[in-house]
Amino acid sequence: MPIDEVSWTNLESHSCTTYATREYVAELNISPWNPQRTKICMSTLMVVHDRPHLPSRCEYCSGTVVGHFAINHDKPDCVTHWSGYKNWV
């Protein structure tokens, strides 16, 4: 990858946010002084589970551009499962 190419790094899986959806967070390797950093962040794709995603939001934290991704496929651990029904009366 060329040194000036923008890409996501340090991808981390976070908690389930809604039914079947998990939040992922990644850092964008872009200069924090770039005045277009938010626009570039919101338009840079990241591939998770072989599918491209755009961030749902971007923020600037301690000199790093961070993208948040809501991934709602291949997340069975974020789905509620019910066991058998018991009448406790």
Side-chain angles (χ1 to χ4, degrees):
M1 170 184 329
I3 190 103
D4 60 344
E5 186 174 321
V6 176
S7 64
W8 294 104
T9 61
N10 301 325
L11 176 65
E12 294 180 2
S13 172
H14 282 225
S15 62
C16 297
T17 55
T18 59
Y19 182 83
T21 302
R22 180 175 294 280
E23 181 182 52
Y24 282 74
V25 176
E27 297 175 1
L28 192 62
N29 70 340
I30 188 171
S31 168
W33 297 283
N34 186 324
Q36 299 294 315
R37 65 182 179 244
T38 302
K39 181 178 180 180
I40 294 169
C41 177
M42 291 299 290
S43 63
T44 303
L45 289 169
M46 181 180 62
V47 176
V48 177
H49 302 304
D50 298 322
R51 294 186 192 177
H53 297 275
L54 288 171
S56 53
R57 65 184 171 98
C58 293
E59 61 184 348
Y60 179 70
C61 297
S62 303
T64 304
V65 179
V66 177
H68 297 260
F69 300 83
I71 308 301
N72 61 359
H73 59 87
D74 298 328
K75 296 293 152 202
D77 54 332
C78 292
V79 176
T80 305
H81 296 280
W82 298 96
S83 61
Y85 172 80
K86 291 184 180 183
N87 187 352
W88 293 95
V89 180

